[in-house]
Amino acid sequence: FETAIVKHGATVLVAYVDTSAASLGNQKHGISISRSTDHGKKFSKIISASGGSSLPNTTDGDKADPVLLVNKSTGHFFLLCNRFPEGPGFQVFRSTDDGATFTLHGSAVHQSNAEMDKPHAAIDNYSGTGNGNLYAAGVQVGTASGAPTRGIWFSRSTNGGSTWGTPLLLGNARDPGAPAGIVTEVFAPWVVVGPDHSVYVFWLDTSLGSVDDNPNARYYI
């Protein structure tokens, strides 16, 4: 579940959460990737969270919510995902060989004591100033002492994802201490780049009701 897809030339990548990994007791890898090099006619599983060729072994692992991007100028693919467990930023992996392999490349929307969830990202593939910039957003759901303000946070990379700027708070939860999923929450950001290099971030505002407890509540973008 939680699928992501991206295409560049004849190559198509599909990333997803591999539930079989959890059933095997895997506590560091949760994401698998399948790849096609013939426009999606045939796929092979090149990265398997349940064993074999997984994403690189890192201290923070790869858990869920994969996001796939491609820089159309360089052909580099990017994968952003949650840490395992959620932590102070999102894992950023990069492939420079047409999606065949990935290496750890950075940490997006990173801040101390944060528990970041629901990553989304976009890359500026339009010609001119800003081409190649990466933009990412997520929701800070942690409530531990010293955690940043609950809400939607955003960050930018101007060097291909190697480093990211200081995260910006775009929209904070009206009740910063409320558990995720209940009244007054903001959730699930979505990042888009326009042809004039403008960056847009949308998110779900459930301020008039609970996602989990009130199916008749009003939700806003």
Side-chain angles (χ1 to χ4, degrees), residues 85-162:
E86 285 91 349
F90 300 121
Q91 297 279 67
V92 181
F93 298 91
R94 184 181 67 169
S95 172
T96 60
D97 57 3
D98 199 34
T101 61
F102 283 81
T103 58
L104 185 65
H105 191 59
S107 179
V109 202
H110 187 105
Q111 51 190 337
S112 299
N113 299 316
E115 186 178 338
M116 301 301 300
D117 194 14
K118 295 301 174 188
H120 196 263
I123 189 167
D124 188 339
N125 277 311
Y126 298 101
S127 61
T129 302
N131 176 267
N133 286 357
L134 281 82
Y135 304 95
V139 57
Q140 203 292 110
V141 299
T143 57
S145 176
T149 301
R150 288 282 298 280
I152 304 298
W153 289 83
F154 169 88
S155 188
R156 177 183 73 166
S157 172
T158 59
N159 59 5
S162 297

Coordinates of all heavy atoms in Angstrom, one line a residue, residues 85-162:
P85 N 11.7 4.1 13.4 CA 10.4 4.8 13.3 C 10.5 6.2 12.9 O 11.6 6.7 12.6 CB 9.9 4.7 14.8 CG 11.2 4.8 15.6 CD 12.2 4.0 14.8
E86 N 9.3 7.0 12.9 CA 9.3 8.3 12.5 C 10.3 9.1 13.4 O 10.5 8.8 14.5 CB 7.9 9.0 12.6 CG 6.9 8.6 11.5 CD 6.1 7.4 11.9 OE1 6.5 6.7 12.9 OE2 5.2 7.1 11.2
G87 N 11.0 10.1 12.7 CA 12.0 10.8 13.4 C 12.1 12.3 13.0 O 11.1 12.8 12.5
P88 N 13.2 12.9 13.1 CA 13.4 14.3 12.9 C 13.4 14.8 11.5 O 13.5 16.0 11.2 CB 14.7 14.7 13.6 CG 15.5 13.4 13.5 CD 14.5 12.3 13.7
G89 N 13.2 14.0 10.5 CA 13.2 14.4 9.1 C 12.9 13.2 8.3 O 12.6 12.1 8.7
F90 N 12.8 13.4 7.0 CA 12.5 12.4 6.0 C 13.8 11.9 5.3 O 14.7 12.7 5.0 CB 11.6 12.8 4.9 CG 10.3 13.3 5.5 CD1 9.8 14.6 5.3 CD2 9.5 12.5 6.2 CE1 8.6 15.0 5.8 CE2 8.3 12.9 6.8 CZ 7.8 14.2 6.6
Q91 N 13.9 10.6 5.1 CA 15.1 10.0 4.4 C 15.0 10.4 3.0 O 13.9 10.4 2.3 CB 15.1 8.5 4.5 CG 15.2 8.0 6.0 CD 16.7 8.0 6.4 OE1 17.3 9.0 6.6 NE2 17.2 6.8 6.6
V92 N 16.1 10.8 2.4 CA 16.2 11.1 1.0 C 17.2 10.2 0.3 O 18.4 10.2 0.7 CB 16.7 12.6 0.7 CG1 16.7 12.9 -0.8 CG2 15.7 13.5 1.4
F93 N 16.8 9.3 -0.6 CA 17.6 8.4 -1.3 C 17.7 8.9 -2.8 O 16.7 9.5 -3.3 CB 17.1 7.0 -1.3 CG 17.1 6.4 0.1 CD1 15.9 6.5 0.8 CD2 18.2 5.7 0.6 CE1 15.9 5.9 2.1 CE2 18.1 5.2 1.9 CZ 17.0 5.3 2.6
R94 N 18.8 8.7 -3.4 CA 19.0 9.1 -4.8 C 19.6 8.0 -5.7 O 20.4 7.2 -5.2 CB 20.0 10.3 -4.9 CG 20.1 10.9 -6.3 CD 21.1 12.1 -6.4 NE 22.5 11.7 -6.1 CZ 23.5 12.4 -6.3 NH1 23.4 13.7 -6.7 NH2 24.7 12.0 -6.0
S95 N 19.1 7.9 -6.9 CA 19.6 7.0 -7.9 C 20.2 7.8 -9.1 O 19.6 8.6 -9.7 CB 18.5 6.1 -8.4 OG 19.0 5.3 -9.5
T96 N 21.5 7.4 -9.4 CA 22.1 8.1 -10.6 C 22.3 7.1 -11.7 O 23.0 7.4 -12.7 CB 23.5 8.7 -10.2 OG1 24.3 7.6 -9.7 CG2 23.3 9.7 -9.1
D97 N 21.7 5.9 -11.6 CA 21.9 4.9 -12.7 C 20.5 4.4 -13.2 O 20.2 3.2 -13.3 CB 22.7 3.7 -12.1 CG 22.1 3.0 -10.9 OD1 21.0 3.5 -10.5 OD2 22.7 2.1 -10.4
D98 N 19.7 5.4 -13.5 CA 18.3 5.1 -14.1 C 17.5 4.3 -13.2 O 16.7 3.5 -13.7 CB 18.5 4.5 -15.4 CG 17.3 4.6 -16.3 OD1 16.6 5.6 -16.2 OD2 17.0 3.6 -17.1
G99 N 17.6 4.5 -11.9 CA 16.7 3.8 -10.9 C 17.1 2.4 -10.6 O 16.3 1.7 -9.9
A100 N 18.2 2.0 -11.0 CA 18.6 0.6 -10.7 C 19.0 0.4 -9.3 O 18.7 -0.6 -8.7 CB 19.8 0.2 -11.6
T101 N 19.7 1.4 -8.7 CA 20.1 1.3 -7.3 C 20.0 2.7 -6.6 O 19.9 3.7 -7.3 CB 21.6 0.9 -7.1 OG1 22.4 1.9 -7.8 CG2 21.8 -0.5 -7.7
F102 N 19.9 2.7 -5.3 CA 19.7 4.0 -4.6 C 20.7 4.1 -3.5 O 21.1 3.1 -2.9 CB 18.3 4.1 -4.0 CG 17.2 4.4 -5.0 CD1 16.7 3.5 -5.8 CD2 16.8 5.7 -5.1 CE1 15.7 3.8 -6.7 CE2 15.8 6.1 -6.0 CZ 15.2 5.1 -6.8
T103 N 21.2 5.3 -3.2 CA 22.0 5.5 -2.0 C 21.4 6.6 -1.2 O 20.6 7.5 -1.7 CB 23.4 6.0 -2.5 OG1 23.3 7.2 -3.3 CG2 24.1 4.9 -3.2
L104 N 21.7 6.6 0.1 CA 21.2 7.7 1.0 C 21.8 9.0 0.6 O 23.0 9.1 0.4 CB 21.6 7.3 2.5 CG 21.0 8.3 3.5 CD1 19.5 8.2 3.5 CD2 21.5 8.0 4.9
H105 N 21.0 10.1 0.5 CA 21.5 11.3 -0.1 C 21.2 12.5 0.8 O 21.6 13.6 0.5 CB 20.9 11.5 -1.4 CG 21.5 12.6 -2.2 ND1 22.8 12.7 -2.6 CD2 20.9 13.7 -2.8 CE1 23.0 13.8 -3.3 NE2 21.9 14.4 -3.4
G106 N 20.5 12.4 1.9 CA 20.2 13.5 2.8 C 19.0 13.3 3.7 O 18.4 12.2 3.8
S107 N 18.6 14.4 4.3 CA 17.5 14.4 5.2 C 16.7 15.6 5.0 O 17.2 16.7 5.2 CB 17.9 14.3 6.7 OG 16.8 14.3 7.6
A108 N 15.4 15.5 4.6 CA 14.6 16.7 4.3 C 13.7 17.0 5.5 O 13.2 16.2 6.2 CB 13.7 16.4 3.0
V109 N 13.4 18.3 5.6 CA 12.5 18.8 6.6 C 13.0 18.4 8.0 O 12.2 17.9 8.8 CB 11.0 18.5 6.4 CG1 10.1 19.4 7.1 CG2 10.6 18.5 4.9
H110 N 14.3 18.5 8.2 CA 14.9 17.9 9.4 C 15.0 19.0 10.5 O 15.4 20.1 10.3 CB 16.3 17.5 9.0 CG 17.0 16.8 10.1 ND1 17.2 15.4 10.1 CD2 17.6 17.2 11.3 CE1 17.8 15.0 11.2 NE2 18.1 16.1 11.9
Q111 N 14.5 18.6 11.7 CA 14.6 19.5 12.9 C 14.6 18.6 14.1 O 14.0 17.6 14.2 CB 13.5 20.5 12.9 CG 12.1 19.9 12.8 CD 11.1 21.0 12.6 OE1 11.3 22.2 13.0 NE2 10.0 20.7 12.0
S112 N 15.4 19.1 15.1 CA 15.6 18.3 16.3 C 14.2 18.0 17.1 O 13.4 18.9 17.1 CB 16.5 19.0 17.3 OG 17.8 19.2 16.7
N113 N 14.1 16.9 17.7 CA 13.0 16.5 18.5 C 11.7 16.3 17.7 O 10.6 16.1 18.3 CB 12.8 17.4 19.6 CG 14.0 17.5 20.6 OD1 14.5 16.5 20.9 ND2 14.4 18.7 21.0
A114 N 11.7 16.5 16.4 CA 10.5 16.4 15.6 C 10.2 14.9 15.3 O 11.0 14.0 15.3 CB 10.6 17.1 14.3
E115 N 8.9 14.7 15.1 CA 8.4 13.4 14.6 C 7.6 13.6 13.3 O 6.4 13.9 13.3 CB 7.5 12.7 15.7 CG 7.1 11.3 15.3 CD 6.3 10.6 16.4 OE1 6.3 11.1 17.5 OE2 5.5 9.7 16.1
M116 N 8.3 13.6 12.2 CA 7.7 14.0 10.9 C 7.0 12.8 10.3 O 7.5 11.7 10.3 CB 8.8 14.5 10.0 CG 9.6 15.7 10.5 SD 8.6 17.1 10.9 CE 7.9 17.4 9.3
D117 N 5.8 13.1 9.7 CA 5.0 12.1 9.0 C 4.5 12.7 7.7 O 4.5 13.9 7.5 CB 3.9 11.7 10.0 CG 3.2 10.4 9.5 OD1 3.8 9.7 8.7 OD2 2.1 10.1 10.0
K118 N 4.0 11.8 6.9 CA 3.3 12.1 5.6 C 4.1 13.0 4.7 O 3.7 14.1 4.4 CB 1.9 12.7 5.9 CG 0.9 11.7 6.5 CD 0.7 10.5 5.7 CE -0.1 9.5 6.4 NZ -0.2 8.2 5.6
P119 N 5.3 12.6 4.3 CA 6.1 13.4 3.4 C 5.4 13.6 2.0 O 4.8 12.7 1.5 CB 7.4 12.7 3.3 CG 7.0 11.2 3.5 CD 5.9 11.3 4.5
H120 N 5.7 14.7 1.4 CA 5.4 14.9 0.0 C 6.4 15.9 -0.6 O 7.0 16.7 0.2 CB 4.0 15.4 -0.3 CG 3.6 15.2 -1.7 ND1 3.7 16.2 -2.6 CD2 3.1 14.1 -2.3 CE1 3.3 15.8 -3.8 NE2 2.9 14.5 -3.7
A121 N 6.7 15.7 -1.8 CA 7.8 16.5 -2.4 C 7.6 16.8 -3.9 O 6.7 16.1 -4.5 CB 9.2 15.8 -2.2
A122 N 8.3 17.8 -4.4 CA 8.2 18.1 -5.8 C 9.6 18.6 -6.3 O 10.4 19.1 -5.5 CB 7.2 19.1 -6.1
I123 N 9.9 18.5 -7.6 CA 11.1 19.0 -8.1 C 10.8 20.0 -9.3 O 9.8 19.8 -10.0 CB 12.0 17.9 -8.6 CG1 13.4 18.4 -9.0 CG2 11.3 17.1 -9.7 CD1 14.4 17.3 -9.2
D124 N 11.5 21.0 -9.4 CA 11.3 22.0 -10.4 C 12.0 21.6 -11.7 O 13.2 21.6 -11.8 CB 11.9 23.4 -10.0 CG 11.5 24.5 -10.9 OD1 11.2 24.2 -12.1 OD2 11.6 25.7 -10.5
N125 N 11.2 21.1 -12.6 CA 11.7 20.6 -13.9 C 11.6 21.6 -15.1 O 11.7 21.3 -16.2 CB 11.1 19.3 -14.3 CG 11.7 18.1 -13.6 OD1 13.0 18.0 -13.6 ND2 10.9 17.3 -13.0
Y126 N 11.2 22.9 -14.7 CA 11.0 23.9 -15.7 C 12.3 24.6 -15.9 O 13.1 24.8 -15.0 CB 9.9 24.9 -15.3 CG 8.6 24.2 -15.1 CD1 8.1 23.8 -13.9 CD2 7.8 23.9 -16.3 CE1 6.8 23.2 -13.8 CE2 6.6 23.2 -16.1 CZ 6.1 22.9 -14.9 OH 4.9 22.3 -14.8
S127 N 12.6 25.1 -17.2 CA 13.8 25.8 -17.5 C 13.8 27.2 -16.8 O 12.8 27.8 -16.6 CB 13.9 25.9 -19.0 OG 12.8 26.7 -19.5
G128 N 15.1 27.6 -16.5 CA 15.2 28.9 -15.9 C 15.6 28.8 -14.5 O 15.9 27.7 -13.9
T129 N 15.6 29.9 -13.8 CA 16.0 30.0 -12.4 C 15.1 29.1 -11.5 O 13.9 29.2 -11.6 CB 15.9 31.4 -11.8 OG1 16.8 32.3 -12.7 CG2 16.4 31.5 -10.4
G130 N 15.7 28.2 -10.7 CA 15.0 27.3 -9.9 C 15.0 25.9 -10.4 O 14.6 24.9 -9.7
N131 N 15.4 25.7 -11.7 CA 15.4 24.3 -12.3 C 16.3 23.4 -11.4 O 17.4 23.7 -11.1 CB 16.0 24.4 -13.7 CG 16.1 23.0 -14.3 OD1 17.1 22.4 -14.2 ND2 15.0 22.5 -14.9
G132 N 15.7 22.3 -11.1 CA 16.4 21.3 -10.3 C 16.2 21.4 -8.8 O 16.6 20.5 -8.0
N133 N 15.6 22.5 -8.3 CA 15.3 22.6 -6.9 C 14.4 21.6 -6.4 O 13.4 21.2 -7.1 CB 14.8 24.0 -6.5 CG 15.8 25.1 -6.6 OD1 17.0 24.9 -6.8 ND2 15.3 26.3 -6.4
L134 N 14.6 21.1 -5.2 CA 13.6 20.1 -4.6 C 12.9 20.8 -3.4 O 13.5 21.6 -2.7 CB 14.4 18.9 -4.1 CG 14.8 17.8 -5.1 CD1 16.1 18.2 -5.8 CD2 15.0 16.5 -4.4
Y135 N 11.6 20.5 -3.3 CA 10.8 21.0 -2.2 C 10.1 19.9 -1.5 O 9.6 19.0 -2.2 CB 9.8 22.0 -2.8 CG 10.4 23.1 -3.7 CD1 10.5 23.0 -5.0 CD2 10.9 24.3 -3.1 CE1 11.1 24.0 -5.8 CE2 11.5 25.3 -3.8 CZ 11.6 25.1 -5.2 OH 12.2 26.1 -5.9
A136 N 10.0 20.0 -0.2 CA 9.4 18.9 0.6 C 8.6 19.5 1.7 O 8.9 20.5 2.2 CB 10.5 17.9 1.1
A137 N 7.6 18.8 2.1 CA 6.8 19.2 3.2 C 6.3 17.9 4.0 O 6.3 16.8 3.5 CB 5.6 20.0 2.8
G138 N 6.0 18.1 5.3 CA 5.5 17.0 6.1 C 4.7 17.6 7.3 O 4.7 18.8 7.5
V139 N 4.2 16.7 8.1 CA 3.5 17.2 9.3 C 4.2 16.7 10.5 O 4.6 15.5 10.6 CB 2.0 16.7 9.3 CG1 1.9 15.1 9.2 CG2 1.3 17.1 10.5
Q140 N 4.5 17.6 11.4 CA 5.1 17.3 12.7 C 4.0 16.8 13.7 O 3.2 17.6 14.0 CB 5.8 18.5 13.2 CG 7.0 18.2 14.2 CD 6.5 17.7 15.5 OE1 6.8 16.5 15.8 NE2 5.9 18.4 16.4
V141 N 4.1 15.5 14.0 CA 3.0 14.9 14.8 C 3.5 14.7 16.3 O 2.7 14.3 17.1 CB 2.5 13.6 14.2 CG1 1.9 13.9 12.8 CG2 3.6 12.6 14.1
G142 N 4.7 14.9 16.6 CA 5.2 14.6 17.9 C 4.7 15.5 19.0 O 4.5 16.7 18.7
T143 N 4.6 15.0 20.2 CA 4.1 15.9 21.3 C 5.1 15.8 22.5 O 4.8 16.3 23.6 CB 2.8 15.4 21.8 OG1 2.8 14.0 22.2 CG2 1.7 15.6 20.7
A144 N 6.3 15.2 22.3 CA 7.2 15.1 23.4 C 7.8 16.5 23.8 O 7.7 17.4 23.0 CB 8.4 14.2 23.0
S145 N 8.3 16.5 25.0 CA 8.9 17.8 25.4 C 10.0 18.3 24.5 O 10.8 17.5 24.1 CB 9.4 17.6 26.9 OG 10.1 18.8 27.3
G146 N 9.9 19.6 24.1 CA 10.9 20.1 23.3 C 10.6 19.9 21.8 O 11.4 20.4 20.9
A147 N 9.5 19.3 21.4 CA 9.1 19.1 20.0 C 8.7 20.4 19.4 O 8.2 21.3 20.0 CB 8.0 18.1 19.9
P148 N 9.0 20.5 18.1 CA 8.6 21.8 17.4 C 7.1 21.9 17.4 O 6.4 20.9 17.7 CB 9.1 21.6 16.0 CG 10.2 20.5 16.1 CD 9.8 19.6 17.2
T149 N 6.6 23.0 17.0 CA 5.1 23.2 16.9 C 4.5 22.2 16.0 O 5.0 21.9 14.9 CB 4.8 24.6 16.3 OG1 5.4 25.6 17.2 CG2 3.3 24.9 16.2
R150 N 3.4 21.6 16.4 CA 2.6 20.7 15.6 C 2.1 21.4 14.4 O 1.5 22.5 14.5 CB 1.4 20.2 16.4 CG 1.8 19.2 17.5 CD 2.1 17.8 17.0 NE 0.9 17.3 16.3 CZ -0.1 16.7 16.9 NH1 -0.1 16.6 18.2 NH2 -1.1 16.2 16.3
G151 N 2.2 20.8 13.2 CA 1.7 21.5 12.0 C 2.5 21.1 10.7 O 3.2 20.1 10.7
I152 N 2.2 21.8 9.7 CA 2.8 21.6 8.4 C 4.1 22.3 8.3 O 4.2 23.5 8.4 CB 1.9 22.0 7.2 CG1 0.5 21.3 7.4 CG2 2.5 21.7 5.9 CD1 0.5 19.8 7.2
W153 N 5.2 21.6 8.0 CA 6.5 22.2 7.8 C 7.0 21.9 6.4 O 6.7 20.9 5.8 CB 7.5 21.6 8.8 CG 7.2 22.0 10.2 CD1 6.3 21.4 11.1 CD2 7.9 23.0 11.0 NE1 6.3 22.1 12.3 CE2 7.3 23.1 12.3 CE3 8.9 23.9 10.7 CZ2 7.7 24.0 13.2 CZ3 9.3 24.9 11.6 CH2 8.7 24.9 12.9
F154 N 7.8 22.9 5.9 CA 8.3 22.9 4.5 C 9.8 23.2 4.5 O 10.3 24.0 5.3 CB 7.5 24.0 3.8 CG 8.1 24.3 2.4 CD1 7.6 23.6 1.3 CD2 9.0 25.3 2.2 CE1 8.1 23.9 0.0 CE2 9.5 25.6 0.9 CZ 9.0 24.9 -0.1
S155 N 10.5 22.6 3.5 CA 11.9 22.8 3.4 C 12.3 22.7 1.9 O 11.6 22.1 1.1 CB 12.7 21.8 4.2 OG 14.1 22.2 4.2
R156 N 13.4 23.4 1.5 CA 13.9 23.4 0.1 C 15.4 23.0 0.0 O 16.2 23.3 0.9 CB 13.7 24.9 -0.4 CG 14.2 25.1 -1.8 CD 14.1 26.5 -2.2 NE 15.1 27.4 -1.6 CZ 15.4 28.6 -1.9 NH1 14.7 29.2 -2.9 NH2 16.3 29.3 -1.3
S157 N 15.7 22.4 -1.1 CA 17.1 22.1 -1.4 C 17.4 22.7 -2.8 O 16.7 22.5 -3.7 CB 17.3 20.6 -1.5 OG 18.6 20.3 -2.0
T158 N 18.5 23.4 -2.8 CA 18.9 24.0 -4.1 C 20.2 23.4 -4.7 O 20.7 23.9 -5.6 CB 19.2 25.5 -3.9 OG1 20.3 25.7 -2.9 CG2 18.0 26.3 -3.4
N159 N 20.6 22.2 -4.1 CA 21.8 21.5 -4.6 C 21.5 20.0 -4.8 O 22.3 19.2 -4.5 CB 22.9 21.7 -3.6 CG 22.7 21.2 -2.2 OD1 21.6 20.6 -2.0 ND2 23.6 21.5 -1.3
G160 N 20.3 19.8 -5.3 CA 20.0 18.4 -5.7 C 19.7 17.5 -4.6 O 19.9 16.2 -4.7
G161 N 19.3 18.0 -3.4 CA 18.9 17.2 -2.3 C 20.0 16.9 -1.3 O 19.8 16.2 -0.3
S162 N 21.3 17.4 -1.6 CA 22.4 17.1 -0.7 C 22.2 17.7 0.7 O 22.4 17.1 1.7 CB 23.7 17.5 -1.3 OG 24.0 16.9 -2.5

